[in-house]
Amino acid sequence: QIHQIVIRGLRFRTKVNDIYDAFKEFGEIAACRLIVNERNESKGYCFIVFKNKFDADRSIQAMSGLRFDGAVINVSYAKDQR
């Protein structure tokens, strides 16, 4: 089972490494994918897959509503994409 979260409200200049570094403290990350436009700028959201649910839960509780790279972000579980 995957435990995928979505981070919304990111600034266009935010880089995937910045997000990875901020969220790795909550646990082992299986994947981190920043959605970008044709100029390689953030479209404002990113998906992270944690290896376990506890770590995903902790990241949501700790990071949602905080200021990250100059913007207030929203962190929640991603909807099933199937």
Side-chain angles (χ1 to χ4, degrees):
Q1 184 174 357
I2 64 168
H3 309 287
Q4 182 170 250
I5 63 169
V6 61
I7 304 156
R8 293 186 182 91
L10 296 167
R11 308 239 349 209
F12 74 92
R13 68 170 183 251
T14 301
K15 301 296 182 203
V16 70
N17 289 346
D18 300 331
I19 298 163
Y20 185 90
D21 287 344
F23 280 80
K24 70 181 181 186
E25 70 180 82
F26 299 105
E28 193 173 352
I29 293 174
C32 182
R33 183 169 54 107
L34 178 64
I35 309 305
V36 296
N37 64 19
E38 63 280 352
R39 294 184 305 276
N40 208 34
E41 298 167 333
S42 167
K43 284 187 168 184
Y45 61 103
C46 177
F47 294 97
I48 295 179
V49 177
F50 280 96
K51 294 234 174 169
N52 73 63
K53 185 178 185 322
F54 176 76
D55 296 338
D57 288 344
R58 285 193 320 139
S59 74
I60 291 168
Q61 291 169 359
M63 297 295 284
S64 193
L66 291 187
R67 187 167 293 279
F68 179 80
D69 196 23
V72 176
I73 59 171
N74 175 274
V75 185
S76 62
Y77 272 103
K79 301 281 187 273
D80 192 331
Q81 302 289 318
R82 283 179 263 171

